[in-house]
């Protein structure tokens, strides 16, 4: 399995190391042809204004949007949340998020919230807040009343940085999403073959 | 919050800036141009280094009103400079809730023996270095990010290359050493032993390392990235050029696609004149900025 990491700007290397430690192969994505064959995509932390501009100039914006529409599991951390939100460039999840919602760096913090029943360290660096979400979005975690992790279909959002910790709770959720998508496409493949066989 | 948590957060912010360009700006308008061009952060200062050189005199921290105006103008992180050793200027920047403090040789040093004890602050510091020893001394004092110094305000990349090569080659020497050789090497570097061992283990600096000082073209930025920089600072190179908007944009593209000569060639087209620049070899020694700090 290969997971792509959008490599235009941000903590790309940290995500690679995070995946490597779990024995997962990561591929840095800077160009459209590099998207071929990936089974999941991570949008890393970074500056969303910078990544937005580079998404357009690199020609990656439309191909990534198309893959998301086809069901490719995508995980956005921090800046990735902004890009995947309704008003972000990828506009893939029905949520509204505010950039840098906690203020300047002095207000960055590490909290401990519950995900899937497990207490998890959460690193917030000039983090965004998910301010609104459509009722069909699943809230995975809240911290002090703020939604900090959510899922909608094939989109996973975390306002914090699991890749700066050794905790794999969120990664496991993402890997489950990839496995589910794989079996889904496999069963639709089998169905297609059956339909073809029946037609014959 | 524990010191360890602070360290994760402050080193972490620099990690989020990786692969990006940090631009010197002197007005809210310039800050907006920088953000619009794709800068990952701006450095708010009263005069860009080329003008500091030209005007002479003592260069100090900028007017807080001007720093506040720039902070208001953009959504990306804002950095600002203090004089080496001037911890009260740093206290002021912390009170202003600036995102990153640059304890910078570009300003006139306030202390010729001691740098700021950066452990005493909640907000992060970036410091300059010319080699591995200087980088690790600054990290030992609490710097969360390093930049190689280069020679600011010259538009000449030669010193930036020298300093980056020094850091990278010293790290590769260290990485191939036996443990019992590290003690003498740490002494030679005049660097804290624990940080020398940490660097050996990581095979890189324990914090993010950007290149700075003299970067004026997209090719310069890509050169520094290929040499091993995590990102670049561009000071005078943008707003001293003929077309700052286009040049800023092109340097952002070249920093991301630093390994793709075709893209660098494309973005380098028709940018107008770069800043004029100076030949550092012909400069009197007392005009060198990078030798400030120790």
């Amino acid at each position: 399995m290969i997971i792509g990491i959008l490599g235009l700007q941000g903590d790309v290397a940290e995500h690679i190391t995070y995946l490597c430690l779990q024995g997962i192969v990561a591929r840095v994505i800077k160009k459209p042809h590099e998207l071929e064959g990936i089974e999941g995509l991570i949008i890393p932390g970074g500056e969303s204004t910078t990544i937005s501009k580079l998404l357009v100039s690199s020609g990656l914006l439309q191909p990534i949007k198309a893959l998301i529409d086809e069901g490719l599991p995508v995980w956005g951390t921090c800046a990735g949340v902004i890009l995947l939100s309704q008003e972000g460039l990828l506009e893939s999840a029905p949520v509204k998020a505010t950039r840098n919602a906690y203020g300047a760096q002095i207000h960055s913090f590490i909290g401990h919230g519950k995900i899937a029943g497990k207490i998890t360290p959460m690193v917030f660096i000039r983090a965004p807040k998910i301010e609104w979400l459509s009722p069909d979005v699943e809230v995975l975690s809240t911290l002090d009343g703020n939604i900090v992790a959510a899922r909608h279909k094939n989109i996973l959002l975390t306002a914090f940085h699991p890749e700066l910790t050794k905790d794999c709770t969120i990664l496991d959720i993402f890997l489950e999403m990839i496995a589910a998508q794989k079996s889904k496409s496999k069963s639709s493949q089998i169905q297609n073959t059956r339909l073809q066989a029946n037609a014959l | 919050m524990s010191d360890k948590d602070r360290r994760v957060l402050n080193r972490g912010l620099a990690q989020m800036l990786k692969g990006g360009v940090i631009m010197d700006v002197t007005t809210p308008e310039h800050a907006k141009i920088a953000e619009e061009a794709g800068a990952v952060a701006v450095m708010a200062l009263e005069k860009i280094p080329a003008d500091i050189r030209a005007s002479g005199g003592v260069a100090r921290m900028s007017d807080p009103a001007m720093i506040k105006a720039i902070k208001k103008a953009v959504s990306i992180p804002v950095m600002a400079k203090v004089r080496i050793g001037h911890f009260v200027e740093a206290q002021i920047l912390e009170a202003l809730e600036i995102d990153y403090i640059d304890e910078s040789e570009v300003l006139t040093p306030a202390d010729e023996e001691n740098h700021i004890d950066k452990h005493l602050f909640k907000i992060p510091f970036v410091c300059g270095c010319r080699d591995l020893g200087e980088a690790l001394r600054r990290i030992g004092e609490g710097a969360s990010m390093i930049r190689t110094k280069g020679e600011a305000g010259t538009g000449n990349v030669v010193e930036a290359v020298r300093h980056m090569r020094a850091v990278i080659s010293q790290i590769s020497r260290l990485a191939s050493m036996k443990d019992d050789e590290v003690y003498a090497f740490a002494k030679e570097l005049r660097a804290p032993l624990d940080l020398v061992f940490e660097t050996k283990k990581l095979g890189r600096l324990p914090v993010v390392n950007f290149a700075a000082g003299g970067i004026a073209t997209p090719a310069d930025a890509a050169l520094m990235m290929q040499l091993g920089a995590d990102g670049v600072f561009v000071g005078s190179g943008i707003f001293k050029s003929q077309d700052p908007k286009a040049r800023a944009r092109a340097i952002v593209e070249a920093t991301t696609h630093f390994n793709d000569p075709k893209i660098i060639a494309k973005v380098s087209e028709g940018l107008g004149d770069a800043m004029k620049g100076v030949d550092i070899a012909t400069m009197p020694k007392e005009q060198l900025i990078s030798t400030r700090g120790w």
Side-chain angles (χ1 to χ4, degrees):
Chain A
M1 177 179 56
I2 301 171
I3 294 183
I5 299 169
L6 186 65
L8 298 171
Q9 191 274 316
D11 71 332
V12 181
E14 287 70 10
H15 274 283
I16 295 174
T17 311
Y18 182 66
L19 292 181
C20 267
L21 288 175
Q22 305 310 317
I24 300 164
V25 181
R27 183 194 295 162
V28 177
I29 311 282
K30 286 191 185 185
K31 291 183 180 149
H33 74 265
E34 290 162 341
L35 291 165
E36 202 164 306
I38 58 167
E39 291 177 72
L41 178 67
I42 294 175
I43 319 253
E47 282 305 316
S48 56
T49 49
T50 306
I51 300 173
S52 294
K53 295 197 163 64
L54 292 165
L55 263 176
V56 175
S57 62
S58 62
L60 277 168
L61 181 61
Q62 293 312 327
I64 289 179
K65 272 182 142 177
L67 285 173
I68 292 175
D69 286 345
E70 285 166 23
L72 179 77
V74 180
W75 170 17
T77 59
C78 196
V81 171
I82 299 292
L83 288 158
L84 290 162
S85 72
Q86 217 169 50
E87 282 150 0
L89 217 52
L90 292 167
E91 41 186 357
S92 310
V95 307
K96 279 187 185 164
T98 314
R99 286 192 67 195
N100 188 22
Y102 298 88
Q105 172 64 5
I106 198 163
H107 303 294
S108 292
F109 64 99
I110 298 180
H112 289 85
K114 228 179 194 174
I115 303 173
K118 218 180 118 192
I119 300 286
T120 306
M122 298 175 174
V123 180
F124 293 86
I125 298 175
R126 285 173 48 93
K129 264 186 198 173
I130 299 171
E131 309 271 10
W132 172 90
L133 39 75
S134 134
D136 59 341
V137 178
E138 181 190 355
V139 174
L140 296 176
S141 183
T142 59
L143 189 68
D144 303 326
N146 296 312
I147 299 159
V148 294
R151 174 166 56 182
H152 181 258
K153 295 179 184 163
N154 52 326
I155 307 290
L156 177 64
L157 304 171
T158 56
F160 53 93
H161 295 279
E163 77 279 11
L164 296 186
T165 70
K166 290 193 175 80
D167 189 273
C168 292
T169 317
I170 284 282
L171 177 63
D172 289 342
I173 294 174
F174 188 53
L175 294 177
E176 273 168 30
M177 287 166 66
I178 292 174
Q181 174 64 23
K182 230 172 163 174
S183 65
K184 210 163 113 190
S185 55
K186 216 177 211 170
S187 68
S188 74
Q189 241 172 36
I190 293 169
Q191 224 164 29
N192 280 342
T193 334
R194 271 196 201 135
L195 285 175
Q196 279 165 6
N198 286 342
L200 287 172
Chain B
M1 186 181 299
S2 74
D3 290 351
K4 202 180 145 219
D5 282 4
R6 246 318 133 207
R7 196 164 65 220
V8 170
L9 292 167
N10 285 342
R11 290 183 179 186
L13 177 55
Q15 288 170 301
M16 299 310 145
L17 303 177
K18 276 161 65 169
V21 183
I22 300 170
M23 302 182 192
D24 278 2
V25 297
T26 53
T27 64
E29 293 69 40
H30 282 181
K32 278 187 190 146
I33 291 175
E35 184 176 44
E36 192 50 41
V40 288
V42 290
M43 176 75 70
L45 70 174
E46 215 140 282
K47 283 183 199 154
I48 54 175
D51 291 334
I52 291 177
R53 272 183 191 288
S55 65
V58 175
R60 309 178 179 92
M61 182 192 79
S62 302
D63 182 346
M66 171 267 196
I67 294 172
K68 272 157 79 181
I70 287 176
K71 221 176 142 219
K72 229 173 139 184
V74 293
S75 65
I76 53 179
V78 177
M79 303 181 162
K81 289 183 192 292
V82 300
R83 285 177 266 177
I84 289 173
H86 205 314
F87 51 84
V88 174
E89 285 186 347
Q91 289 164 5
I92 293 170
L93 290 187
E94 184 164 74
L96 292 174
E97 299 197 349
I98 213 78
D99 294 301
Y100 239 99
I101 297 176
D102 183 3
E103 186 181 18
S104 177
E105 69 284 358
V106 170
L107 305 183
T108 312
D111 188 327
E112 293 192 330
E113 275 172 40
N114 309 294
H115 281 253
I116 296 171
D117 181 359
K118 294 165 272 286
H119 295 291
L120 300 175
F121 292 80
K122 290 195 182 83
I123 63 173
F125 281 74
V126 54
C127 289
C129 78
R130 282 163 297 171
D131 54 32
L132 180 58
E134 201 173 1
L136 295 180
R137 286 195 291 281
R138 297 295 87 79
I139 297 168
E141 294 156 3
S144 302
M145 177 179 182
I146 290 293
R147 56 176 172 74
T148 46
K149 285 177 177 173
E151 190 60 35
T154 60
N156 187 339
V157 81
V158 65
E159 293 301 309
V161 169
R162 189 190 320 279
H163 299 157
M164 187 57 74
R165 280 201 184 270
V167 172
I168 301 291
S169 70
Q170 284 171 318
I171 291 175
S172 47
R173 241 180 89 199
L174 173 61
S176 64
M177 274 179 194
K178 286 186 175 161
D179 277 1
D180 61 3
E181 297 172 305
V182 173
Y183 301 91
F185 192 53
K187 195 178 160 198
E188 182 191 320
L189 292 174
R190 294 187 293 123
L193 187 62
D194 57 332
L195 289 175
V196 179
F197 269 111
E198 193 184 346
T199 306
K200 174 172 160 58
K201 197 175 136 204
L202 296 171
R204 60 155 293 143
L205 283 180
V207 303
V208 165
N209 181 24
F210 271 43
I215 295 160
T217 67
D220 287 349
L223 173 68
M224 297 317 299
M225 294 298 287
Q226 285 197 29
L227 284 174
D230 291 319
V232 297
F233 281 87
V234 186
S236 320
I238 289 172
F239 289 102
K240 277 284 166 195
S241 75
Q242 198 182 345
D243 187 348
K245 261 185 208 172
R247 185 162 296 265
R249 198 64 230 274
I251 291 177
V252 169
E253 291 288 337
T255 303
T256 293
H257 300 287
F258 66 90
N259 260 334
D260 188 329
K262 278 188 186 151
I263 294 183
I264 304 168
K266 201 174 125 207
V267 300
S268 299
E269 268 178 38
L271 294 178
D273 291 337
M275 76 177 281
K276 189 163 171 261
V278 289
D279 180 2
I280 294 167
T282 63
M283 276 167 69
K285 269 216 167 82
E286 61 274 14
Q287 281 183 20
L288 293 177
I289 283 176
S290 61
T291 51
R292 296 167 170 176
W294 26 91

